[in-house]
Amino acid sequence: MRAVVARKYGSPSVLSVEDVPVPRPGARQVLIRVRAVGLNPADLRSLSGVMRDLAPLTFPHVPGSDFAGTVTEIGGDVTRFAVGDEVFGVGLPRATEAMATMLSSPPSLTTGAMAEYAVFEANTPALAHRPSGLAPEHAATLPIPGLTALTLVRAGRFAPGQRVLVIGAAGGVGSAAVPVLTAARLHVIATALPEDEDYVRELGAAEVIDYRAVDTVTETLRRHPQGVDAVVNLALPGAELVEVGKAIKPGGRLLNAAFPSPDPAAFTGADFTAETVFSHARPGDLDHLAAQAMTGALPSSISRVFSLEQAPKAYAELVEGHVRGKFVVTVGR
């Protein structure tokens, strides 16, 4: 089969498309014929080597986490799925199993989704049936962004009408977080470039701040002198969040979903609560996201579509330029 492969740590430049053996499913696993893969910055984080002490990769390494595809083979102990089922979900490459043990609800362990075939654990809430009316390309954009959005809403314990500043609203996770927060009847203030303003407003943002033209904190307080109830950070590195906290009213919350995480000591004495949120799937979460996508409440966020042979280029563009929404790789038919 054809797959995107890395044989050492590095940037997207170490990725190539090669012929590799088709993986075989174990007793509790399913083999998936991959149809579409959603690209995530996290796919490249492990590849860069920044997490090698915590979760070392084994090479050759196939990246890719969010996917949609068709079950082509099942292990002997699998009862949730049958050959021919259309599915979607999120997998964590087996080389990063150490990371999976740290999560409260780890995703499926996989051989890497950026390939014609991949193996996934069957008994996990991070794998679900894809409704017939949901295109595989759309389904492949939902898992990590959508699950992160749901986790943020749960962690925020928001009340309807509260004001939430979303930093990085036009990116992949923002494209799910803004609609999910809006559906919770929150007043969303989004940071975005002028060319993305219409896009984030269509997602549900009530206000937009051009973060290059004005200082985000100053502009937020000009509009809302008492501060906002919460900040959802999807873009800034941890060290920059102390300043952002000045926009939060006393007793509010700072929810971080970006890497690297801030040092908790940096918020000592702050009159708000700071928390880093890790995406995970609860039973039924992917079904809920699929239903929202079907109704249009989670609209398609696809901005570019690439072939498998173009996947290394897609990963390079993901890190080198400004990306609105999601990049998707299609893997044959």
Side-chain angles (χ1 to χ4, degrees):
M1 70 173 185
R2 300 291 280 171
V4 175
V5 175
R7 296 190 175 275
K8 62 180 180 180
Y9 287 108
S11 69
S13 63
V14 305
L15 295 171
S16 62
V17 181
E18 303 179 12
D19 289 313
V20 297
V22 175
R24 309 308 323 161
R28 297 178 178 85
Q29 298 176 325
V30 292
L31 178 66
I32 304 295
R33 175 64 168 95
V34 178
R35 300 300 182 186
V37 186
L39 275 66
N40 292 292
D43 299 343
L44 300 174
R45 193 172 303 141
S46 297
L47 182 64
S48 72
V50 69
M51 302 174 70
R52 72 174 74 189
D53 290 339
L54 176 64
L57 300 181
T58 56
F59 297 99
H61 169 71
V62 176
S65 46
D66 288 356
F67 77 97
T70 307
V71 176
T72 60
E73 185 178 345
I74 63 172
D77 295 337
V78 174
T79 58
R80 283 186 68 204
F81 302 101
V83 171
D85 284 355
E86 298 294 336
V87 297
F88 76 109
V90 55
L92 191 67
R94 185 169 299 281
T96 58
E97 187 168 354
M99 178 65 78
T101 63
M102 300 178 61
L103 304 178
S104 58
S105 179
S108 172
L109 298 176
T110 175
T111 52
M114 197 61 75
E116 291 181 320
Y117 291 88
V119 165
F120 294 86
E121 302 294 327
N123 189 27
T124 167
L127 184 64
H129 290 89
R130 175 175 65 85
S132 59
L134 180 62
E137 294 82 4
H138 191 176
T141 68
L142 296 176
I144 286 181
L147 293 173
T148 301
L150 292 178
T151 305
L152 286 165
V153 168
R154 290 164 180 158
R157 298 188 290 277
F158 299 112
Q162 288 188 322
R163 293 178 172 87
V164 181
L165 173 64
V166 178
I167 298 175
V173 175
S175 298
V178 172
V180 169
L181 292 166
T182 300
R185 293 185 289 166
L186 302 174
H187 182 94
V188 174
I189 307 152
T191 69
L193 296 176
E195 55 264 38
D196 295 330
E197 179 170 350
D198 289 345
Y199 175 69
V200 295
R201 286 191 182 276
E202 289 172 2
L203 293 175
E207 302 179 47
V208 181
I209 294 175
D210 178 359
Y211 62 90
R212 287 187 180 171
V214 297
D215 177 76
T216 297
V217 172
T218 301
E219 179 63 13
T220 300
L221 292 174
R222 185 188 71 80
R223 301 183 187 188
H224 305 281
Q226 302 304 312
V228 295
D229 296 285
V231 168
V232 169
N233 176 51
L234 308 175
L236 294 178
E240 298 183 31
L241 293 182
V242 174
E243 184 67 20
V244 173
K246 296 178 181 178
I248 304 174
K249 65 174 56 175
R253 303 188 65 113
L254 191 159
L255 300 172
N256 174 61
F259 179 88
S261 304
D263 181 355
F267 301 104
T268 300
D271 53 6
F272 59 86
T273 302
E275 178 182 357
T276 292
V277 172
F278 296 99
S279 170
H280 66 275
R282 293 182 180 180
D285 277 354
L286 286 180
D287 298 311
H288 172 72
L289 293 174
Q292 293 295 97
M294 294 278 286
T295 64
L298 272 178
S300 174
S301 59
I302 299 171
S303 60
R304 296 277 302 279
V305 177
F306 300 82
S307 68
L308 184 64
E309 299 293 327
Q310 296 171 319
K313 174 186 176 183
Y315 273 126
E317 293 192 18
L318 185 68
V319 298
E320 291 172 358
H322 172 70
V323 176
R324 175 195 294 177
K326 296 287 291 182
F327 285 176
V328 170
V329 167
T330 56
V331 193
R333 291 294 173 190

